[in-house]
Amino acid sequence: MDDSTVSSSLTPQSTLATPPSPSSQLTLPPDISRPSLSLDNLTPSPHVDRMINSNHYKSPSRPIYSDRFIPSRSGSNFALFNIPPPTNSPAEGREDSSSTYTTLLRAALFGPDTGVVPPVTPEKRSLSINPPSRNIFRYKTETRQPMHSLLPFVYDDVVTGATHSPVKTPRKVPRSPYKVLDAPALQDDFYLNLVDWSSHNVLAVGLGNCVYLWNACSSKVTKLCDLGIDDSVCSVGWAQRGTHLAVGTSNGKVQIWDASRCKKIRTMEGHRLRAGALAWSSSLLSSGGRDKNIYQRDIRAQEDFVSKLSGHKSEVCGLKWSYDNRELASGGNDNRLFVWNQHSTQPVLKFCEHTAAVKAIAWSPHLHGLLASGGGTADRCIRFWNTTTNSHLSCMDTGSQVCNLVWSKNVNELVSTHGYSQNQIIVWRYPNMSKLATLTGHTYRVLYLAISPDGQTIVTGAGDETLRFWNVFPSPKSQNTDSEIGASSLGRTTIR
């Protein structure tokens, strides 16, 4: 019977006790009659009755407030809010908390691998019996702390691989090129370097015995030179600044052209066989050839070359200067990766871990001395090196021939292009080397790669005689938005 039922069943007449008559014991004045003061004839006052029955009286007009609220546990639905019900006895609760504390203390003192089974917390026990409603407190699972977070100190193996920062949503990379150019006579040769993008947003492409320039701003195509039927283009390379373009030929010569005037400045000799690799460092031009040599050429000097670098046992097919112009990395068909400084004629570092030709070479613009290299068909690996400590950092097996590598200057990511047998383009996040995107479309090996001056767009070339433009990297100002470069130039044209 609740309180309301008790108060409604009681009346003042039934609850007011009648005391014995004390009229015989009273001394009264003579002008007051005795019967008028008999207590038996008095009607109980409502206020007196309310005070006497205060435990049962409930005001019909307003509730009675107290200074604190004590809830009734018996009528609460604890499972609805994912709260464990109270234990029946205080001893049971003390025993459970004592067991939990003992287990946590043992794990903290002797490590997590001592065979100690983590205690089942009341929270987990209630989850297994009464799963919570998904519509109430949905953020509960996000704020739940793991058991090891309660320890006073944590071992490294407890949180191995754990991330304390919020998980970032992977950036969306468009899976199709925004522009495709036909490039007739683009050679399918792993050892050549026939595509380069200048700081003035002009793309140079070697097609057969000719070099063509494609202006990315106006889409205008210009024929720079024609070497004739007895020669062919093996490499092209833009100077870091200005409009000078170096062209390596199958006869072993290196030509310097002023692209703004479409005029050849000079021709430099030295190689006995084709010059398939070029790299600029300010006014210094390095060329690598099939004759296993690397020539250092200063275009301000009268001599064709100022020094000769010897060390490779087969054709030099990869050359890249570091961003500070202090180190030159070279890769060859002898499966070797060498590092040279500005004054050495012998390599200062030799890396021999690759098991196939090393053409793909890229220096990181974010960390000094970080070098990436890729191996050919028999190797298929991307390796990372620290040239300041002469150490091998890591290796990633890509599953197919690595043809080119290029770092993004806006984010810590890089792109690799591949040949046998996938012919794909992969965008990687460094240093965990997780794949952000795999781009397909070329039907031949993706042998050529260049990046735009703003660092957002790459162009790839293959033996299928196409050049494909991809938006893969964010802009330096807004790294969370997709690039819109080239969105208005959809379509397919020819570069000739």
Side-chain angles (χ1 to χ4, degrees), residues 18-23 26 28 33-43:
T18 304
S21 176
S23 59
L26 295 176
L28 302 174
S33 61
R34 188 179 299 273
S36 64
L37 295 177
S38 175
L39 295 178
D40 296 335
N41 299 329
L42 294 177
T43 302

Side-chain angles (χ1 to χ4, degrees), residues 31 83 165:
D31 57 343
I83 302 176
S165 59

Side-chain angles (χ1 to χ4, degrees), residues 26-181:
L26 295 176
T27 302
L28 302 174
D31 57 343
I32 298 179
S33 61
R34 188 179 299 273
S36 64
L37 295 177
S38 175
L39 295 178
D40 296 335
N41 299 329
L42 294 177
T43 302
S45 172
H47 299 286
V48 176
D49 184 55
R50 183 178 301 175
M51 288 187 293
I52 296 175
N53 297 281
S54 60
N55 293 333
H56 304 283
Y57 183 79
K58 185 175 181 181
S59 174
S61 60
R62 62 177 180 178
I64 299 176
Y65 295 98
S66 179
D67 59 341
R68 62 176 179 159
F69 172 73
I70 303 176
S72 175
R73 295 177 179 270
S74 60
S76 301
N77 189 356
F78 292 92
L80 184 62
F81 299 96
N82 194 18
I83 302 176
T87 56
N88 295 328
S89 63
E92 180 182 352
R94 286 196 300 269
E95 181 181 355
D96 183 76
S97 62
S98 176
S99 175
T100 302
Y101 174 79
T102 303
T103 304
L104 291 175
L105 181 60
R106 186 179 306 170
L109 294 177
F110 302 105
D113 298 327
T114 57
V116 179
V117 179
V120 180
T121 61
E123 183 182 16
K124 294 183 179 179
R125 194 185 300 121
S126 64
L127 284 175
S128 61
I129 298 174
N130 299 314
S133 173
R134 294 186 179 273
N135 294 325
I136 300 178
F137 298 155
R138 298 185 66 179
Y139 58 86
K140 178 70 176 179
T141 55
E142 299 177 3
T143 58
R144 187 174 299 147
Q145 295 182 352
M147 180 60 65
H148 62 74
S149 65
L150 302 177
L151 300 178
F153 49 87
V154 183
Y155 292 91
D156 291 340
D157 55 355
V158 176
V159 293
T160 300
T163 171
H164 299 284
S165 59
V167 179
K168 299 178 69 174
T169 304
R171 190 181 75 257
K172 292 183 179 181
V173 178
R175 294 302 196 270
S176 58
Y178 70 82
K179 189 175 186 63
V180 179
L181 294 178

Side-chain angles (χ1 to χ4, degrees), residues 266-400:
R266 63 182 298 183
T267 300
M268 296 178 288
E269 299 184 355
H271 292 290
R272 302 187 308 273
L273 301 172
R274 68 181 182 183
L278 297 170
W280 286 86
S281 171
S282 186
S283 60
L284 186 67
L285 173 64
S286 304
S287 63
R290 201 169 191 174
D291 58 2
K292 314 171 189 177
N293 296 321
I294 300 172
Y295 288 97
Q296 305 281 49
R297 310 172 187 272
D298 191 337
I299 61 173
R300 299 169 301 180
Q302 294 182 352
E303 298 82 10
D304 288 341
F305 57 91
V306 295
S307 63
K308 175 182 175 181
L309 311 183
S310 301
H312 283 286
K313 305 300 181 183
S314 188
E315 180 174 8
V316 178
C317 51
L319 277 179
K320 284 292 171 62
W321 277 96
S322 62
Y323 281 86
D324 58 5
N325 294 326
R326 294 182 179 180
E327 294 178 305
L328 173 68
S330 64
N333 198 28
D334 54 1
N335 310 342
R336 300 291 188 263
L337 174 67
F338 293 159
V339 177
W340 320 72
N341 61 29
Q342 292 174 314
H343 310 290
S344 65
T345 56
Q346 294 295 322
V348 295
L349 295 177
K350 296 182 180 181
F351 300 118
C352 306
E353 280 76 3
H354 283 293
T355 57
V358 182
K359 176 193 178 184
I361 300 173
W363 292 92
S364 170
H366 309 288
L367 186 61
H368 174 71
L370 178 58
L371 176 65
S373 60
T377 307
D379 183 83
R380 305 174 304 180
C381 293
I382 300 175
R383 297 180 183 270
F384 296 91
W385 318 86
N386 187 336
T387 61
T388 59
T389 60
N390 190 17
S391 58
H392 181 207
L393 300 177
S394 61
C395 175
M396 169 62 69
D397 189 345
T398 66
S400 58

